[in-house]
Amino acid sequence: MELETIIGLEIHAQIATNSKMFCSCSANAYNAEPNENTCPVCMGFPGQLPVINAEAVRKGAIAAMALQCTIPEYSKFDRKNYFYPDSPKGYQISQFDKPLSEHGKITIRVNGEDKVIGITRLHLEDDAGKLTHVDRGTLCDFNRAGVALMEIVSDPDMRSAAEAAAYAKEIQVIVRYVGASDADMEKGMMRFDASVSLRPKGDTKLYSRAEIKNLNSFKTLEAAIEYEVGRQRKLWEEGKPQDKDITVGWKEEKQATYFMREKEGADDYRYFPEPDLPPLGLSEAILNELRSSLPELPAVRRGRYIRDFALSEADVELLTEDKDLAAYFENTLKVATHDPKKVASFITTVILRFLKEDAKDIDECPVSPEHLGELLNAVESGKISNNMAKGEIFEEMYLKGKSPLEIIKEKGLEQVSDTGEIEKIANEVLAAHSDQVAEYKSGKIKVFGFLVGQVMARMKGRANPGVVNDVVKKLLG
Ligand code: ZN
Ligand code: MN
């Protein structure tokens, strides 16, 4: 039987706010002492009243717009009741039947093909605390309890682990573009739950699924989906497909999923409207203001780069992934007036390599776009060779933050295109290598490269290779 894989993703992303979702505690759990950022509201003390964080709402809404969701006139908050030690309130404040936004979509690209993935909803909620299991018990750190989250739920539109990873990656790029979340997975700011099921190909109904909880990297997302597909495929082949929705976890050491529980439905959570919060309305004026502040989205930028700059798909992908990198590229283009392809290639090969070795982001790059533009212009005008630009000169610019023109002058690196000087050296080289010259004249033209190399070496790489070629050819007759 041919089986088809059905995948839907829930993504939790921490909204980039200074304070928590419903209190004024700092939302920066990173680097804080355990339980430093807590107060009676996020600790669920009786009688304490939550207050909605306006910044979280605005950033949630702008992310929703970027995902092309519709934002209804009002939404509301609900209590999702469950008991677990990471939740001091005994419930999570989430949004149940009236979410902040619904019905969006994004386009992903896998194996050179575009595919639209529907977004069911994006809603707001607060996060739980962090539990650390130790020998004699469990440690609770509530710094993260109450931090603002957006939950982005996809339609079950993905058909492979690769599509799921591409979708997750695109969501990360988009929420970062609009400044809604830093989505740093190493800091737990973005987590995935993947629902996976199989069905006979051609069938349209959905069968029982397994929801894999809390995956925290693209790699584990793919690995866990692959594993789950394999496990369920076996059950189908044995004629006893899974007949209940279940929740599973991922064991990194075993690279396998493990059974946690039968999946709880909405009824199990006893949702009811949060009595301490009013409905959340967003005025047309605020929505318009947010809409007009939307930056150029990654998909639009990619299209523009391909159209206007004729860049390769791989370069476009790389340059647009991070909006700061895209800005760096475009700022360089303001100075470097020639082929954008060369600018792109210099950034994606040389600059990204240097930054990677230093574990730096593009906004920490010691070479300014202006200086890079000047460097590339110097190559284009023949002042310096490309190798020199990539090597010695760029290194110096990177280490000392100096302008390329200054370095070229200081070190006397200006490329020599003056035929007189090159001819003088070339004559010396030919005289010193009469054997090779004789070989060349007897038809072994391969030694030509050797002779050119000797001239280049004597001129310490400063000679214009094109001119050297011409001169040596001429002298050899
Ligand atoms: Zn608090
Ligand atoms: Mn959630």
Coordinates of all heavy atoms in Angstrom, one line a residue, residues 20 22-26 37-43 142 145-146, ligand 1:
K20 N 7.0 40.4 30.9 CA 6.2 39.2 30.7 C 4.8 39.6 30.1 O 4.4 40.8 30.0 CB 6.1 38.4 32.0 CG 7.4 37.8 32.4 CD 7.2 36.9 33.7 CE 8.5 36.3 34.1 NZ 8.3 35.4 35.3
F22 N 1.7 39.2 31.2 CA 0.6 39.7 32.1 C 1.1 40.4 33.3 O 0.3 40.7 34.2 CB -0.4 38.6 32.4 CG -1.0 38.0 31.2 CD1 -0.7 36.7 30.9 CD2 -1.9 38.7 30.4 CE1 -1.3 36.1 29.7 CE2 -2.5 38.1 29.3 CZ -2.2 36.8 28.9
C23 N 2.4 40.6 33.5 CA 2.9 41.3 34.6 C 4.2 42.1 34.2 O 4.6 42.0 33.1 CB 3.3 40.4 35.8 SG 4.6 39.2 35.4
S24 N 4.8 42.9 35.1 CA 5.9 43.7 34.7 C 7.3 43.1 35.0 O 8.3 43.7 34.8 CB 5.8 45.1 35.4 OG 5.8 44.9 36.8
C25 N 7.3 41.8 35.3 CA 8.6 41.1 35.5 C 9.4 41.1 34.2 O 8.8 41.0 33.1 CB 8.3 39.6 35.9 SG 7.7 39.4 37.5
S26 N 10.7 41.1 34.4 CA 11.5 41.0 33.2 C 11.3 39.7 32.4 O 11.2 38.7 33.1 CB 13.0 41.1 33.6 OG 13.8 40.7 32.5
N37 N 13.1 36.6 38.3 CA 12.0 37.4 37.7 C 10.6 36.8 38.0 O 10.0 36.2 37.1 CB 12.3 37.3 36.1 CG 13.6 37.8 35.7 OD1 14.3 38.6 36.4 ND2 14.1 37.3 34.6
T38 N 10.2 37.0 39.2 CA 8.9 36.5 39.5 C 8.1 37.5 40.4 O 8.8 38.4 41.0 CB 9.0 35.2 40.4 OG1 9.8 35.4 41.5 CG2 9.5 34.0 39.5
C39 N 6.8 37.4 40.4 CA 6.0 38.3 41.2 C 4.7 37.6 41.5 O 4.4 36.5 41.0 CB 5.8 39.6 40.5 SG 4.5 39.5 39.2
P40 N 3.9 38.1 42.4 CA 2.6 37.4 42.7 C 1.7 37.1 41.5 O 1.0 36.1 41.5 CB 2.0 38.4 43.7 CG 3.1 39.1 44.4 CD 4.1 39.3 43.3
V41 N 1.8 38.0 40.5 CA 0.9 37.7 39.3 C 1.4 36.5 38.6 O 0.6 35.5 38.4 CB 0.9 38.9 38.3 CG1 0.1 38.6 37.1 CG2 0.3 40.1 39.0
C42 N 2.7 36.4 38.2 CA 3.1 35.2 37.4 C 3.3 34.0 38.3 O 3.4 32.9 37.8 CB 4.3 35.5 36.6 SG 5.7 36.2 37.5
M43 N 3.3 34.2 39.6 CA 3.3 33.0 40.5 C 1.9 32.5 40.9 O 1.8 31.6 41.6 CB 4.1 33.3 41.8 CG 5.6 33.6 41.5 SD 6.4 32.3 40.5 CE 6.5 31.1 41.8
F142 N 11.0 29.7 37.8 CA 9.8 30.3 37.2 C 10.2 31.6 36.4 O 9.3 32.4 36.2 CB 8.8 30.5 38.2 CG 8.2 29.2 38.8 CD1 8.4 29.0 40.2 CD2 7.7 28.3 38.0 CE1 7.9 27.8 40.7 CE2 7.2 27.1 38.5 CZ 7.3 26.8 39.9
A145 N 8.2 31.5 33.5 CA 6.7 31.4 33.7 C 6.1 32.8 33.4 O 6.4 33.7 34.1 CB 6.4 30.9 35.1
G146 N 5.2 32.9 32.5 CA 4.5 34.1 32.2 C 5.1 34.9 31.1 O 4.5 36.0 30.7
Ligands
ZN1 ZN 5.6 38.5 37.3

